[in-house]
Amino acid sequence: TYDQARQIADLLGMKNIPLGEQTAKRTFDAQEKIIAKIEKITGKEFDHYYIWLTVDGVPVIGIDPPLPLA
């Protein structure tokens, strides 16, 4: 629901950012940067894919559950 997506966005530091394309892009970009840093530090590649949380058919948050590759 919109309220649940709003709560998740707020937890991710996007309290005053309207849900929509902007929050989806920010969550995607932030996670990509974090994963790149983790890969550099550990020397391991992480398999990652995005689950797009949508409200009324519009992606509002990208959730990336990374999995370390053996």
Side-chain angles (χ1 to χ4, degrees):
T1 67
Y2 179 88
D3 290 335
Q4 291 167 323
R6 178 75 271 159
Q7 289 177 31
I8 294 168
D10 291 351
L11 285 172
L12 296 172
M14 292 180 255
K15 194 164 186 114
N16 295 316
I17 299 171
L19 289 178
E21 189 176 316
Q22 205 174 27
T23 51
K25 180 170 176 22
R26 284 186 184 203
T27 54
F28 175 85
D29 291 345
Q31 291 175 94
E32 284 292 306
K33 288 177 185 175
I34 290 168
I35 290 167
K37 288 178 182 180
I38 291 170
E39 288 178 337
K40 185 175 181 179
I41 291 168
T42 64
K44 295 189 182 272
E45 184 179 350
F46 282 73
D47 185 17
H48 57 286
Y49 56 92
Y50 283 86
I51 299 167
W52 291 101
L53 177 62
T54 62
V55 175
D56 296 329
V58 176
V60 295
I61 297 174
I63 302 168
D64 181 12
L67 301 170
L69 297 176

